[in-house]
Amino acid sequence: MQVLSKMTPVPITCLDYVHPWTQSCTVATAELMIVGVQYCLRIYAAVYALSLIMRGRIPSLPELKKTLRGWLQSTAFLTTNAFSYSIMMCTIRRLMGNYNFYTASYVPAFFAALVSIMVERSSRRALLALYVSNVATETMWNILQSRGFVKSIPHGEIAIFGLATSMLMYCFRKNRQETYRDSMFDVVRFAIGDSEVMKVAPVPTEEPTPAVRESNPRVSKGKTYPLPFIQAVLQAYLQLTGRLKAMGKHKLCRHRHGCLYDTLSSGARMFSIGLGIQVVMKMVLQMRKFICRPALMRKTFLSKEIARLGLFLGGFTSIYKMSSCLLRHFTNSDSPMFAFPSGLLASVAFAFYSDNTIALYIMWKTLQITYNWGIEKGYLPRVPGFTVLLYATSTALLFHAATIEPENLRPSYWKFLHSISGGRICIMDRSGFDVYGLDTSGQIRRMMELCKTEPILQGQLS
């Protein structure tokens, strides 16, 4: 089959391509709006309910009203993105009389995203742009790889994570979170602590005293325990931690106790948190399976997979703090530049829990922080509407990939589009675009089999 140029028009109507289940553009749009509202209400109900729960207190009436408005506004935003995409595709067909490779999906998706993002609250636009840019970056790489322009790099996600994290840690050590507040700095502070911030005054070294082991009243000589073994273990633990705390540290180290104790305790804390998160997630997501098959619980919680997140968090924290302390000891100085070798070395722990989504999210978040800092310092120009344009450009790429070459799209995003469209994304007749040489129809069939998705209106098309 001859492969046409991307600008060559394809003689196909929106009736055949966009909504083959109905002859009315208006009816097709109305159906997408109804289905989209139902799906978005469910999705954002969970999102906003979780945000209330995370506050850890009973919300007040004004907070409930604000949450309700946000829930409805976010639902309106996502629903608008869904049905305006259909409107734009039909409108472009009426204006131009045909479709080509770019107007088949990218151009209408761009305008639909541009309209819909204006419906959402301005405070949420940056977060949405960051998310879709994350997925779009992976999609663009897959597109370039499918055309032979780039090749897959072994452990490339670890390299991306290491470079992005090193830059993020540099910003943290420079104490930029004081001038540019971002939730990512809160995550770093929780994991690493303020001892690695350059502007924090060094903590004076505490002189160890013989009473260190007796400072805890729970293990005093007069205290007895029902089980002598527990008392022995506690005493041994306190003796060990007391010795580790009393070990030396560099005069420029800002942590309170010895370097070895700070490294091990921070790593153990983050390992415990990661392990706890994995256990809770398994319990919540697989509760029904555990009830039906109790033996599965033992197999799940004793598997190596359950500890992957903990090994990553604990390993990253320990390696970063250890390498930072060693650099201070060896150079007898401290510098924000230490964040780069320490961050790169600590990123090796990402191999325990390597994930493209996490790596790309850290990369885009670091770019956002660096860009905003550059604007504040006058190094970079402020681009009006940059967040809106970034969201529209990235969303258009995702919709275009889902329509023309879905095998380059993340399967989870394909399932999302399938759900929000009520399965109509599978029914669109893309056979006319096979002339561009991408086997579009074949890719659609394979994606439906891979993700186990089916068009809900299949019976109406026969």
Side-chain angles (χ1 to χ4, degrees):
M1 181 181 66
Q2 182 182 3
V3 178
L4 299 181
S5 168
K6 298 297 189 293
M7 295 301 296
T8 303
V10 175
I12 184 174
T13 66
C14 62
L15 171 61
D16 299 326
Y17 162 48
V18 182
H19 46 84
W21 64 89
T22 178
Q23 297 183 358
S24 172
C25 300
T26 305
V27 171
T29 301
E31 289 178 350
L32 281 170
M33 182 174 63
I34 294 172
V35 173
V37 166
Q38 296 174 358
Y39 176 78
C40 296
L41 282 173
R42 293 196 304 270
I43 290 296
Y44 280 111
V47 171
Y48 281 92
L50 182 61
S51 68
L52 288 177
I53 295 174
M54 292 296 290
R55 296 177 184 178
R57 56 182 172 82
I58 299 176
S60 62
L61 183 59
E63 288 176 334
L64 289 175
K65 290 181 179 179
K66 183 179 179 181
T67 301
L68 178 61
R69 288 195 299 268
W71 174 36
L72 296 177
Q73 189 170 1
S74 295
T75 298
F77 144 72
L78 196 54
T79 305
T80 301
N81 210 155
F83 74 79
S84 60
Y85 175 62
S86 176
I87 294 176
M88 293 297 177
M89 286 198 293
C90 293
T91 301
I92 286 179
R93 170 64 177 82
R94 291 178 181 274
L95 292 176
M96 300 185 63
N98 52 59
Y99 292 107
N100 59 39
F101 183 80
Y102 301 103
T103 60
S105 184
Y106 190 90
V107 174
F110 177 84
F111 286 111
L114 206 60
V115 171
S116 63
I117 192 63
M118 302 307 295
V119 177
E120 182 58 285
R121 289 177 298 163
S122 57
S123 59
R124 282 182 47 82
R125 292 172 188 171
L127 180 64
L128 292 167
L130 192 68
Y131 169 72
V132 295
S133 299
N134 184 337
V135 185
T137 302
E138 180 181 346
T139 303
M140 176 55 72
W141 177 268
N142 292 337
I143 291 174
L144 294 175
Q145 185 174 328
S146 67
R147 286 159 172 71
F149 297 139
V150 296
K151 292 183 179 180
S152 179
I153 303 174
H155 308 297
E157 70 281 0
I158 298 178
I160 293 173
F161 178 83
L163 292 172
T165 303
S166 299
M167 187 64 195
L168 182 64
M169 291 300 181
Y170 174 80
C171 295
F172 182 72
R173 287 177 64 85
K174 291 282 288 184
N175 207 28
R176 289 180 182 170
Q177 62 270 21
E178 293 298 326
T179 56
Y180 178 69
R181 298 190 178 276
D182 192 277
S183 59
M184 184 55 66
F185 286 130
D186 295 332
V187 176
V188 175
R189 182 181 289 105
F190 179 78
I192 303 298
D194 285 326
S195 62
E196 294 299 327
V197 179
M198 294 294 297
K199 292 185 179 181
V200 176
V203 178
T205 305
E206 293 184 346
E207 293 295 333
T209 62
V212 170
R213 291 175 293 176
E214 306 296 332
S215 60
N216 195 324
R218 291 181 296 179
V219 294
S220 60
K221 293 182 178 179
K223 184 71 174 180
T224 59
Y225 290 86
L227 295 177
F229 174 74
I230 296 179
Q231 184 178 8
V233 170
L234 286 175
Q235 288 179 343
Y237 169 76
L238 289 174
Q239 288 177 1
L240 177 61
T241 56
R243 291 177 180 176
L244 291 175
K245 288 179 180 179
M247 293 179 68
K249 67 173 184 175
H250 194 273
K251 61 182 179 180
L252 294 176
C253 288
R254 293 167 174 81
H255 45 80
R256 183 171 298 276
H257 302 292
C259 294
L260 184 58
Y261 174 81
D262 184 66
T263 297
L264 295 177
S265 61
S266 299
R269 179 174 66 91
M270 293 308 298
F271 172 80
S272 302
I273 291 173
L275 181 62
I277 291 174
Q278 288 286 81
V279 170
V280 171
M281 289 181 61
K282 292 290 185 182
M283 288 295 296
V284 172
L285 298 178
Q286 300 188 30
M287 179 62 72
R288 186 174 299 178
K289 292 182 179 179
F290 291 156
I291 294 175
C292 298
R293 299 171 55 193
L296 184 62
M297 184 181 298
R298 183 174 180 272
K299 181 180 179 181
T300 300
F301 292 134
L302 293 180
S303 65
K304 296 180 181 179
E305 296 294 317
I306 200 72
R308 288 177 61 219
L309 179 59
L311 290 172
F312 158 54
L313 295 177
F316 179 87
T317 304
S318 296
I319 296 173
Y320 182 84
K321 301 198 74 136
M322 178 185 64
S323 57
S324 297
C325 288
L326 288 175
L327 286 170
R328 285 188 283 265
H329 279 279
F330 290 151
T331 64
N332 198 29
S333 63
D334 197 8
S335 170
M337 298 301 293
F338 288 173
F340 289 100
S342 298
L344 290 173
L345 189 61
S347 65
V348 174
F350 190 56
F352 288 114
Y353 200 77
S354 58
D355 184 83
N356 289 337
T357 302
I358 297 176
L360 292 175
Y361 178 81
I362 297 294
M363 181 193 76
W364 276 102
K365 199 65 177 176
T366 303
L367 289 175
Q368 179 192 21
I369 292 171
T370 306
Y371 174 68
N372 288 329
W373 178 83
I375 291 175
E376 291 176 359
K377 293 295 183 180
Y379 301 146
L380 297 173
R382 184 181 296 275
V383 180
F386 177 78
T387 301
V388 173
L389 290 175
L390 180 62
Y391 174 82
T393 303
S394 300
T395 303
L397 177 64
L398 297 178
F399 276 61
H400 183 78
T403 305
I404 304 298
E405 41 191 318
E407 286 185 332
N408 292 320
L409 188 67
R410 187 181 296 176
S412 60
Y413 200 82
W414 167 268
K415 291 182 179 180
F416 162 72
L417 294 177
H418 178 271
S419 300
I420 198 173
S421 67
R424 288 164 178 79
I425 189 176
C426 300
I427 305 172
M428 296 170 62
D429 185 7
R430 303 163 172 85
S431 59
F433 302 111
D434 288 337
V435 295
Y436 294 122
L438 298 176
D439 188 25
T440 300
S441 299
Q443 288 196 43
I444 294 295
R445 289 192 298 269
R446 290 190 291 271
M447 281 297 292
M448 290 172 61
E449 295 174 358
L450 175 65
C451 299
K452 298 180 181 179
T453 54
E454 295 292 339
I456 62 172
L457 300 180
Q458 191 171 14
Q460 299 182 20
L461 300 177
S462 57

